[in-house]
């Protein structure tokens, strides 16, 4: 489920959460708390004001104040109500192509996390990457693709982009490769993917993920959440981000 209010970002999972248009019909673009009878309930509200209203609600649901504030600052600017024309043009770039890929078996490291945590100093993904390279995990995995093609994967989603998920860093291994006791295995099921492109700079990858979240939240694509992954090849090649779609 990827529908979200394009004003506050609240997930829209049921029609009774929908706002109404000028003809009093339900609309899945905004929630009933933000939009009624074709107009915003608080027409003069700024994005910062919306953040101040939403943070206490998210804290009540168990999130740390700093995490909630960081997440909203990164997410709300890509929603329809708050997007600038420049942001809208960036969002509309969309995937570079779609393709089907069969199942992929990987060997590497894994841990549970969520997007809110990863936007704070408590994020674990940077440390996982550091361990992957410092312990030469890549070199320990025998594969058919040489030293390139490292995968950063997102699987076992608890609640789409809003909940916990498993992050996995690894490489394809040969069929007869025996996984060491200190490493993990992951099989990403076959799926159709929308493919986005970034550079190797972490800031570029994060910006593309912001575009992906907006692309899904605004109905431009419907994610399947069966397993998504980034593919890091040679430094002079782009990073490809594969998003499983329905």
């Amino acid at each position: 489920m990827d529908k979200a209010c394009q004003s506050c970002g609240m997930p829209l999972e049921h029609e009774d959460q929908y706002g109404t248009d000028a003809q009093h019909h339900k609309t899945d673009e905004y929630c009933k708390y933000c939009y009624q009878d074709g107009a915003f309930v608080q027409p003069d509200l700024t994005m910062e004001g919306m953040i101040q209203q939403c943070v206490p609600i998210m804290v009540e649901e168990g999130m740390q104040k700093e995490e909630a504030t960081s997440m909203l600052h990164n997410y709300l600017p890509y929603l329809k109500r708050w997007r600038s024309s420049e942001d809208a043009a960036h969002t509309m770039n969309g995937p570079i192509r779609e393709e089907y890929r069969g199942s992929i078996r990987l060997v590497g490291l894994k841990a549970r996390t969520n997007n809110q945590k990863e936007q704070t100093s408590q994020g674990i993904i940077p440390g996982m990457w550091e361990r992957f390279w410092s312990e030469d995990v890549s070199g320990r995995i025998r594969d058919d693709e040489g030293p390139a093609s490292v995968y950063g994967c997102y699987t076992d989603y608890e609640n789409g982009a809003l909940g916990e998920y498993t992050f996995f860093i690894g490489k394809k291994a040969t069929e007869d490769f025996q996984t060491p006791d200190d490493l993990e295995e992951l099989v990403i099921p076959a799926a159709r993917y929308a493919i986005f492109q970034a550079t190797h700079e972490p800031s570029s990858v994060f910006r593309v993920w912001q575009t992906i979240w907006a692309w899904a939240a605004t109905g431009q694509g419907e994610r399947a959440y069966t397993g998504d992954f980034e593919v890091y090849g040679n430094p002079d090649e782009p990073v490809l981000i594969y998003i499983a779609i329905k």
Side-chain angles (χ1 to χ4, degrees), residues 74-158:
N74 282 295
Y75 182 55
L76 259 60
Y78 284 84
L79 299 181
K80 182 176 179 179
R81 183 175 183 182
W82 313 112
R83 282 202 308 266
S84 67
S85 57
E86 180 181 350
D87 290 334
H90 182 55
T91 299
M92 290 302 292
N93 286 337
I96 58 173
R97 66 178 185 273
E98 294 183 6
E99 70 177 48
Y100 174 85
R101 292 194 61 165
S103 61
I104 305 171
R105 173 180 174 257
L106 303 171
V107 174
L109 307 173
K110 74 175 182 180
R112 293 290 284 177
T113 187
N114 58 60
N115 287 331
Q116 291 83 5
K117 180 187 294 184
E118 292 306 318
Q119 294 175 30
T120 71
S121 60
Q122 304 303 311
I124 64 172
I125 291 178
M128 289 181 65
W129 279 110
E130 182 178 354
R131 179 189 169 194
F132 183 82
W133 295 117
S134 65
E135 296 183 9
D136 192 28
V137 174
S138 177
R140 296 169 57 198
I141 302 169
R142 188 172 70 252
D143 66 351
D144 297 323
E145 297 189 355
S149 299
V150 172
Y151 291 71
C153 310
Y154 306 80
T155 65
D156 300 326
Y157 289 95
E158 179 185 58

Side-chain angles (χ1 to χ4, degrees), residues 113-228:
T113 187
N114 58 60
N115 287 331
Q116 291 83 5
K117 180 187 294 184
E118 292 306 318
Q119 294 175 30
T120 71
S121 60
Q122 304 303 311
I124 64 172
I125 291 178
M128 289 181 65
W129 279 110
E130 182 178 354
R131 179 189 169 194
F132 183 82
W133 295 117
S134 65
E135 296 183 9
D136 192 28
V137 174
S138 177
R140 296 169 57 198
I141 302 169
R142 188 172 70 252
D143 66 351
D144 297 323
E145 297 189 355
S149 299
V150 172
Y151 291 71
C153 310
Y154 306 80
T155 65
D156 300 326
Y157 289 95
E158 179 185 58
N159 183 28
L162 302 173
E164 295 276 321
Y165 56 82
T166 295
F167 182 69
F168 189 100
I169 308 172
K171 293 177 63 178
K172 288 184 180 179
T174 57
E175 291 186 6
D176 61 345
F177 180 73
Q178 297 296 313
T179 302
D181 291 340
D182 61 333
L183 299 181
E184 306 277 355
E185 291 189 11
L186 173 70
V187 176
I188 301 177
R192 185 162 186 83
Y193 294 93
I195 304 172
F196 294 77
Q197 183 172 296
T199 70
H200 280 255
E201 291 295 325
S203 59
S204 173
V205 174
F206 180 68
R207 284 195 300 271
V208 173
W209 271 106
Q210 288 181 311
T211 295
I212 291 167
W213 297 333
W215 168 80
T218 55
Q220 298 176 69
E222 187 173 8
R223 296 177 64 183
Y225 292 106
T226 53
D228 309 307

